[in-house]
Amino acid sequence: MSHSDLFKKVTAGDGDARQAAANELAAAVKASGLKGSPLVGEIKAAMEAQGKKDGPTRAAAMVATAALCKEHTPTTEAHLAALLGEVLNSLSDKVKEVQVAADAAVKAYAEMANGAALNVLVPVCLENMDSTKKWQTVVGALMLLGELADKAPSQMAPHLTDLMPSMTSCLTDLKAQVKEQAQVTMKKLLDTVGNKDIEKVLDDLIVNMMDPTKTEETVHKYAGIVFVQVVTAAALAAVTPLLKRGFQERKDALSRMCAKIVANMSKLVEEPAEALVFMPQIMPLLEKASEEVSDPEARGVCEDALEQMNRIKKKGEERPLRKAEADKMKAHITGAASKAGDDPVLVDYICTMCCALTDSRMFDFDDWEEATVPYFVACGVDEAAAKTATQTILDAAKNDSGINDEPVDEDEDAEELCNCKFTLAYGTKILLFNTDMRLKRGYRYGLLGKNDCGKTTLMRSVAEGKVEGFPDPSEVRTVFVEADIMGEKSHLTCVEYVLDDPAIKAANINEEMVTAQLNAVGFHENAAARPNDAVSTLSGGWRMKLALARAMLQKADILLLDEPTNHLDVMNVKWVQDYLMGLKNVTSIFTSHDSKTLERVATHILHIQDLKLSVHKGNLTDFVKEYPPAKSYFELKATKFTMAFPQPGFIEGVKSKGKALMKMEGCAWTYPKNTKPTVEGITVQVSLSSRVAILGPNGAGKSTMIKLLIGENIPQIGNVWKHPAVRVAYVAQHAFHLIENHLTKSPNEYIRWRYEVPGEDKEAIKKATMSLTEEEEEILKKDITFELKDEEGKMYKVKGVLDKLTGLRRQNKQKEYEYQIKWVGKSDDANVYVPLGKLEKQGKLFMKLVKVVDEKIAAMQGMYVRPLTRENVEKQLVDVGLEAEYATHTRMGALSGGQKVKVVFAAALWNQPHLVLLDEPTNYLDRESLGALAGAIESFEGGVVIISHNEEFTKKLCKETWLMEKDEETGIAHLNLQGDADWMQQALKQVQEKGAQEQISEMVDAFGNKTAVQQKKKISKADLKKFKKKIAARRKDGEEVYTDEELEAAGWIL
């Protein structure tokens, strides 16, 4: 019997007879196939029969379809797909018998479906989920979708993009049955996303879709996720409804969190083109938030996310996903398996599956085998030939997709040292994700990226063999060059320091070889640094030369240099540049905030952005042409990022910002074991208005002079003075060592630990000006006598052995400070206050004790203004540019170099200093941070002294220049004051000559212009009385005036 006759038998029967006839039809079709058969058309016509009287016919068609699906072959499966839409429609038939039969047919389709055929079945389901359809049909389509998702999750995931809008609508449907089935199906669909980062909160996503009031709570949960897995289109589709609702709430905090989720997820999108479909939904909301969010910080997060999305959009548009073309695919199929071409319906079906696999970038042979081989075999192709044909089609499709496209290497002759794909993390933070790195011998790669993007971590990981796929050290030798010297090795000589390195020991390098290499980089007996000098005496420039000499001895294939030009003057920067350019067979990767070095040295640029590492041929100029935003890495200006220093407090007795708070007069310093001074004749002063740049070549004595000024060392010749109430912050050139012992603390915890004892800084440099020698300790054990005045002005004597200065200080009627002392063996009742002048007469050791008290009192005054609380410390860290996430919730061991510098700044500035001394502050900071630092210094009300080789930075900020230069004959450094500092030089000279700073007759500005200074005269008692009357009258009129300031303005002195 023909297929048509057998189908008539099905429609004529009922009950068991109908089912038996349907089984007979299915067996016949399984044997002969459906090619050329009218059966499918006849079944469809029966399904479309109208009227209640045709109900049995429609039911028979459903029974026949279910039987055919259960006994399907690969060829019949292709033909039966055309009936699915009518089957789903029949679920809402008015005749119950038809509904029941249709339900069985839907389940049979779910059993029959090939996972790769979802491109055929899902659109049919989607069409029948429309709100115009009856609820039974919608429920059936939802049920089938859920079954297909269980059966083929990887093939279902790409369809979420199209399904989510309809699914969201179904979850809020008024019909309880639709809502219930939608909930079950949505759970199954979201399970196909395959992203472990969000799988724990998928249920919350469904709850939010059903109840919008849960939006804020759900967004909070998503904002706390650390995303580490590849974000596919399916993951984006799942989260998009939540983000839309979050932005639409129009709350600053909620918009910020949504923007953060967008930024975090979009970084992990492997194919930018996959994100394009979500741009129309998310971008307008981000743009609106960037304009309307009132909170500046939250708005900045929205702007950053928008900027990132624009970058992804641009990449996606430049490199769109190449979709499979049906005509091309059919040609591949019929060309590889000609017998399949006899059945156009089958070819179309196979073509649909192959196109779906291609568009999903699923090129695993097993997937393609399932989608093609059974169908080819059913057409009469031998199984081995069918597999060969499948491989041929797969290769052609893969080639058409562009996935095999590789960038053309212009220098194929250069030896390849590395070609790997890897992911790199630091703690819980992903720095590089599933990215490629290819390095060639002899290339010089400048490594670029914003601060905290992972530049240093990448180089250190390469050097330590922690990059997956990187060649073994036996094949490619890498050396990480860093100039920081660990504290436990600071006592070693330069030669000993190099020999102590494990890699040098392993290479059997001897002292003679080390000395020769040190000579090669400039260490000589007559140079500023000698091979046998202690490494602790080296300036930053010489430390870098030492590190390079050590690296050279290891015969590296790849040199990894982190900011090699930091701490270096112009001549030494050129030396490093020339050295790197001279390496013809060694590859170098280096970071630098010096645009001139990247311009001159780099042959290629490695760029870190959005968790990817890309390589670009050419130097910095070439890269900026290709990627203009990179110019911002080297512009000395702040954009959204700002820094702020805490403003200094009031200093009693200081009415003018120009009044000297620190002075050095004729100072000289000779290092132990040296026969001649390093510096001499140093005369300077610093006030609240000071903006000083200390310049000079490496090893000229700049840091030595600063150490004398702050009291770390005592000059052998000359005097150093500091106002007793002034607070000074000093950020040393190698300040990282302060926090290296606290890497398990957060920055917030570290600062609170450092200042937890009131008035004390646990990390304060041990100053020679405040530390007693053994001889001075012995002197203190002897009796001393003070002649003092009692409250009535009568003189009396006290004698005893000093126990300590108690820390209490007061001013007497003559405005002179008096310090309370305690005697050995006497009670506190015997404590007395001794004027500073009398303590000074007892010798320098007493002045050391006085300075300890002054420092503590000054620090305590800062503590009174701002308590040491978690919130206050966090604000301080945020003010210097460290986000709260890193300030309070991240251990310092997980911070980048730039972030650690900010911690050092925040800690040094905690006590609200009046004067800030910065030794090479620009190291490790990107240009945006430098711009912010410049802004903080400009708005700071205290004095600032800066040592830096960054000429652009110091020119922007400093009106005074102290130039340290060594005398070519003696090798001793002297100070040459320029600009406004000439005024200081003349002032101090006249103080020494005339004994009165008030008699200065002229000042010289930075350009050498002379301005006359009004001579101040001592006011008589009569004039003073008249003057005070005038002041009193002005005060009575409500004017706020001060006698001291008005006297000074009028040219008088008391």
Side-chain angles (χ1 to χ4, degrees):
M1 293 178 69
S2 68
H3 294 168
S4 298
D5 292 337
L6 288 170
F7 180 58
K8 288 176 182 177
K9 188 176 177 181
V10 176
T11 58
D14 59 8
D16 292 343
R18 179 188 289 169
Q19 187 62 57
N23 292 340
E24 185 181 354
L25 172 63
V29 169
K30 186 174 184 179
S32 61
L34 284 171
K35 185 174 68 172
S37 171
L39 179 62
V40 173
E42 292 169 352
I43 293 175
K44 188 172 184 180
M47 290 179 178
E48 293 172 344
Q50 300 296 315
K52 193 171 183 179
K53 63 181 179 62
D54 292 319
T57 301
R58 295 195 298 276
M62 295 300 148
V63 172
T65 301
L68 289 168
C69 287
K70 288 177 181 176
E71 293 296 323
H72 77 282
T73 66
T75 55
T76 59
E77 175 193 330
H79 290 264
L80 292 171
L83 298 174
L84 178 59
E86 289 300 330
V87 172
L88 290 171
N89 266 322
S90 297
L91 289 168
S92 56
D93 198 285
K94 293 180 180 179
V95 178
K96 185 66 176 177
E97 181 186 16
V98 178
Q99 292 180 17
V100 173
D103 185 63
V106 170
K107 290 174 180 175
Y109 265 103
E111 286 292 322
M112 176 184 71
N114 185 326
L118 262 60
N119 259 29
V120 177
L121 305 178
V122 169
V124 179
C125 293
L126 191 56
E127 183 182 341
N128 285 279
M129 289 162 56
D130 190 85
S131 59
T132 59
K133 298 290 183 177
K134 292 183 179 179
W135 70 266
Q136 295 94 334
T137 295
V138 176
V139 169
L142 287 168
M143 185 275 294
L144 179 57
L145 270 180
E147 294 297 318
L148 294 174
D150 280 342
K151 188 173 186 179
S154 59
Q155 287 90 342
M156 179 60 79
H159 293 281
L160 287 190
T161 304
D162 299 321
L163 289 171
M164 286 305 289
S166 294
M167 288 301 304
T168 304
S169 178
C170 289
L171 283 166
T172 55
D173 197 277
L174 295 176
K175 202 70 177 176
Q177 293 92 330
V178 173
K179 187 185 291 188
E180 184 179 338
Q181 183 60 55
Q183 197 171 350
V184 173
T185 300
M186 179 60 93
K187 179 69 172 71
K188 293 181 177 182
L189 289 175
L190 292 181
D191 284 343
T192 69
V193 171
N195 189 303
K196 292 182 179 179
D197 297 334
I198 64 174
E199 63 183 12
K200 292 180 181 178
V201 286
L202 290 177
D203 289 342
D204 296 287
L205 198 60
I206 299 171
V207 170
N208 174 250
M209 289 180 187
M210 299 178 72
D211 181 5
T213 63
K214 303 287 187 183
T215 297
E216 189 164 355
E217 182 183 339
T218 309
V219 169
H220 266 285
K221 290 183 179 180
Y222 270 80
I225 294 173
V226 178
F227 290 96
V228 297
Q229 289 206 311
V230 171
V231 172
T232 61
L236 291 173
V239 180
T240 295
L242 173 67
L243 296 175
K244 288 175 67 176
R245 283 184 175 171
F247 280 120
Q248 287 164 355
E249 291 274 337
R250 300 184 71 177
K251 295 179 181 177
D252 285 6
L254 196 56
S255 294
R256 182 192 183 280
M257 285 189 286
C258 288
K260 202 73 177 174
I261 294 169
V262 170
N264 290 341
M265 292 188 72
S266 60
K267 287 177 183 177
L268 300 179
V269 173
E270 188 77 351
E271 286 289 349
E274 285 190 351
L276 290 179
V277 69
F278 304 101
M279 297 290 179
Q281 300 179 64
I282 298 299
M283 292 283 277
L285 296 169
L286 259 179
E287 288 170 356
K288 195 171 184 179
S290 299
E291 295 169 359
E292 296 183 357
V293 167
S294 58
D295 180 75
E297 193 274 338
R299 189 169 61 251
V301 172
C302 295
E303 289 169 352
D304 288 342
L306 180 60
E307 180 184 340
Q308 186 165 298
M309 290 294 278
N310 278 320
R311 286 200 303 269
I312 292 173
K313 182 181 179 183
K314 184 180 179 183
K315 288 180 181 178
E317 290 171 344
E318 290 174 348
R319 195 181 66 194
L321 286 176
R322 205 179 297 174
K323 293 284 186 179
E325 297 178 26
D327 290 341
K328 273 190 175 182
M329 191 66 74
K330 287 179 185 177
H332 295 324
I333 293 168
T334 54
S338 57
K339 289 184 179 181
D342 296 339
D343 188 345
V345 175
L346 179 61
V347 171
D348 285 345
Y349 192 68
I350 297 171
C351 175
T352 301
M353 291 190 287
C354 290
C355 287
L357 290 170
T358 301
D359 292 344
S360 299
R361 296 299 187 261
M362 295 172 66
F363 292 109
D364 187 85
F365 181 80
D366 291 344
D367 294 323
W368 284 70
E369 182 180 20
E370 182 184 357
T372 56
V373 171
Y375 304 93
F376 292 155
V377 171
C379 293
V381 179
D382 175 76
E383 186 173 353
K387 289 183 177 182
T388 301
T390 296
Q391 186 64 59
T392 301
I393 298 166
L394 189 160
D395 292 340
K398 193 173 183 180
N399 191 59
D400 290 343
S401 73
I403 201 169
N404 288 328
D405 295 351
E406 290 187 4
V408 178
D409 193 333
E410 297 179 15
D411 190 3
E412 286 292 347
D413 294 335
E415 179 188 351
E416 185 176 87
L417 296 178
C418 159
N419 190 354
C420 59
K421 182 183 283 285
F422 63 98
T423 292
L424 182 67
Y426 197 109
T428 59
K429 183 180 180 181
I430 300 295
L431 301 173
L432 289 165
F433 182 75
N434 209 25
T435 193
D436 298 298
M437 181 168 67
R438 191 181 186 198
L439 305 175
K440 294 293 193 77
R441 184 177 293 281
Y443 287 5
R444 300 185 293 276
Y445 298 95
L447 183 56
L448 286 186
K450 291 184 177 180
N451 258 16
D452 315 329
C453 69
K455 300 185 292 293
T456 301
T457 302
L458 172 61
M459 292 194 295
R460 196 179 293 279
S461 298
V462 168
E464 294 174 357
K466 294 180 180 178
V467 171
E468 184 181 357
F470 196 87
D472 187 85
S474 61
E475 301 173 35
V476 176
R477 185 177 299 173
T478 61
V479 177
F480 185 67
V481 182
E482 54 184 338
D484 285 341
I485 292 170
M486 291 179 285
E488 64 267 22
K489 295 185 179 182
S490 60
H491 64 286
L492 301 176
T493 67
C494 297
V495 173
E496 292 169 343
Y497 180 76
V498 175
L499 287 171
D500 192 58
D501 187 275
I504 297 295
K505 292 177 181 177
N508 294 319
I509 294 170
N510 59 37
E511 183 176 341
E512 185 179 344
M513 296 162 69
V514 171
T515 303
Q517 190 62 66
L518 288 172
N519 291 160
V521 299
F523 286 80
H524 297 287
E525 289 305 317
N526 295 323
R530 296 165 293 196
N532 289 314
D533 282 350
V535 292
S536 59
T537 67
L538 298 181
S539 66
W542 284 102
R543 289 187 182 200
M544 178 52 69
K545 286 189 173 185
L546 179 65
L548 282 169
R550 183 176 58 181
M552 291 178 196
L553 287 165
Q554 296 176 53
K555 296 181 171 57
D557 295 299
I558 299 177
L559 275 182
L560 304 147
L561 305 100
D562 190 15
E563 298 288 352
T565 57
N566 272 1
H567 312 296
L568 302 186
D569 56 28
V570 174
M571 293 304 295
N572 280 310
V573 166
K574 186 177 184 302
W575 183 91
V576 171
Q577 292 173 351
D578 291 342
Y579 168 69
L580 292 175
M581 293 170 69
L583 299 173
K584 302 303 181 186
N585 293 312
V586 177
T587 297
S588 56
I589 303 175
F590 62 95
T591 62
S592 180
H593 288 119
D594 177 18
S595 56
K596 293 177 182 177
T597 297
L598 286 160
E599 183 68 35
R600 185 164 180 248
V601 177
T603 61
H604 293 74
I605 297 295
L606 285 173
H607 187 218
I608 297 178
Q609 186 183 52
D610 298 335
L611 309 186
K612 296 293 181 183
L613 183 69
S614 56
V615 62
H616 306 263
K617 183 176 176 60
N619 62 8
L620 181 60
T621 297
D622 300 320
F623 178 61
V624 169
K625 288 177 183 175
E626 182 180 345
Y627 181 67
K631 190 177 181 182
S632 66
Y633 298 163
F634 302 93
E635 291 176 342
L636 188 57
K637 65 179 183 180
T639 52
K640 297 183 290 292
F641 170 46
T642 59
M643 274 191 191
F645 287 1
Q647 294 302 341
F650 170 75
I651 305 177
E652 189 177 353
V654 177
K655 308 293 185 186
S656 169
K657 290 189 70 174
K659 184 173 182 178
L661 299 178
M662 298 179 79
K663 293 181 186 179
M664 293 173 65
E665 298 179 353
C667 292
W669 165 256
T670 305
Y671 275 100
K673 299 182 181 179
N674 285 3
T675 56
K676 59 184 178 182
T678 298
V679 296
E680 71 175 7
I682 306 298
T683 298
V684 295
Q685 71 180 40
V686 186
S687 69
L688 288 172
S689 64
S690 292
R691 290 292 185 275
V692 180
I694 305 180
L695 306 178
N698 287 120
K702 302 184 295 296
S703 296
T704 300
M705 182 188 71
I706 286 290
K707 290 176 181 178
L708 292 175
L709 184 62
I710 65 170
E712 184 175 341
N713 293 325
I714 301 174
Q716 290 93 354
I717 300 173
N719 299 309
V720 179
W721 172 85
K722 179 170 78 70
H723 190 289
V726 78
R727 295 187 294 276
V728 180
Y730 173 51
V731 179
Q733 184 178 130
H734 305 286
F736 273 12
H737 73 275
L738 292 178
I739 61 177
E740 291 303 317
N741 294 326
H742 307 280
L743 298 181
T744 58
K745 293 184 178 76
S746 71
N748 196 312
E749 290 169 337
Y750 166 68
I751 292 177
R752 284 185 284 129
W753 165 85
R754 179 168 167 175
Y755 292 100
E756 65 184 354
V757 179
E760 288 189 15
D761 177 0
K762 292 182 182 179
E763 301 277 39
I765 296 168
K766 188 176 181 181
K767 299 176 181 179
T769 53
M770 293 165 60
S771 303
L772 300 182
T773 64
E774 291 182 5
E775 292 82 1
E776 288 170 334
E777 294 277 6
E778 290 299 318
I779 293 173
L780 281 180
K781 295 177 181 178
K782 298 177 182 179
D783 283 344
I784 53 173
T785 301
F786 291 110
E787 189 172 339
L788 307 173
K789 284 184 181 180
D790 61 19
E791 293 180 358
E792 297 176 356
K794 296 180 180 179
M795 302 299 296
Y796 71 98
K797 289 184 179 181
V798 290
K799 183 178 180 182
V801 177
L802 178 70
D803 182 8
K804 64 181 180 179
L805 269 64
T806 64
L808 297 178
R809 185 184 71 188
R810 70 184 185 187
Q811 277 188 313
N812 58 26
K813 293 178 181 179
Q814 290 73 39
K815 301 295 185 182
E816 182 183 18
Y817 281 123
E818 295 181 340
Y819 296 82
Q820 189 184 69
I821 66 173
K822 178 176 173 57
W823 304 103
V824 173
K826 296 181 182 181
S827 69
D828 289 346
D829 293 337
N831 292 356
V832 293
Y833 280 94
V834 180
L836 175 62
K838 293 185 179 294
L839 289 170
E840 194 170 7
K841 288 179 181 178
Q842 293 292 330
K844 287 186 177 181
L845 76 91
F846 280 86
M847 295 311 297
K848 289 183 178 182
L849 301 177
V850 164
K851 284 183 179 179
V852 172
V853 174
D854 289 341
E855 292 272 343
K856 197 161 191 174
I857 291 174
M860 288 289 288
Q861 288 171 344
M863 291 286 289
Y864 294 143
V865 176
R866 184 174 52 170
L868 186 69
T869 64
R870 182 175 179 273
E871 292 74 19
N872 284 340
V873 172
E874 183 175 290
K875 184 181 183 303
Q876 168 97 344
L877 287 158
V878 170
D879 282 347
V880 299
L882 194 66
E883 295 176 23
E885 178 67 27
Y886 300 109
T888 303
H889 307 292
T890 305
R891 290 182 172 185
M892 291 195 291
L895 301 183
S896 69
Q899 289 171 323
K900 287 178 180 176
V901 168
K902 292 169 186 175
V903 175
V904 171
F905 278 156
L909 296 167
W910 173 252
N911 274 336
Q912 297 173 276
H914 302 98
L915 304 176
V916 177
L917 283 64
L918 305 171
D919 194 348
E920 294 288 1
T922 61
N923 294 337
Y924 303 102
L925 294 179
D926 60 18
R927 303 295 278 194
E928 189 176 36
S929 297
L930 282 183
L933 176 60
I937 291 173
E938 285 177 331
S939 61
F940 180 54
E941 294 294 328
V944 180
V945 178
I946 303 168
I947 296 178
S948 179
H949 291 113
N950 190 321
E951 184 179 1
E952 181 186 4
F953 183 76
T954 54
K955 272 188 175 180
K956 176 180 173 66
L957 297 171
C958 301
K959 58 186 178 182
E960 305 172 16
T961 302
W962 302 350
L963 181 62
M964 292 294 294
E965 295 179 304
K966 281 192 174 184
D967 186 293
E968 292 184 4
E969 293 184 6
T970 65
I972 300 172
H974 297 83
L975 192 63
N976 179 18
L977 305 182
Q978 300 174 357
D980 286 355
D982 287 348
W983 148 248
M984 192 185 311
Q985 187 181 39
Q986 292 178 28
L988 289 172
K989 183 177 179 181
Q990 291 183 29
V991 167
Q992 293 160 2
E993 292 177 354
K994 301 180 182 179
Q997 188 168 339
E998 293 81 5
Q999 297 304 309
I1000 298 167
S1001 61
E1002 65 182 22
M1003 63 176 285
V1004 183
D1005 64 19
F1007 303 100
N1009 301 314
K1010 295 182 179 180
T1011 304
V1013 176
Q1014 183 182 355
Q1015 299 293 325
K1016 292 183 173 65
K1017 299 178 181 178
K1018 188 169 183 178
I1019 191 167
S1020 66
K1021 287 184 179 180
D1023 286 335
L1024 180 60
K1025 190 173 182 180
K1026 293 176 184 177
F1027 198 86
K1028 285 184 176 180
K1029 281 185 178 181
K1030 289 180 181 178
I1031 293 295
R1034 289 170 66 184
R1035 284 177 180 161
K1036 190 174 182 180
D1037 292 337
E1039 191 175 349
E1040 186 177 342
V1041 290
Y1042 299 94
T1043 304
D1044 289 349
E1045 292 180 359
E1046 294 301 315
L1047 277 171
E1048 186 175 350
W1052 297 101
I1053 58 174
L1054 287 170

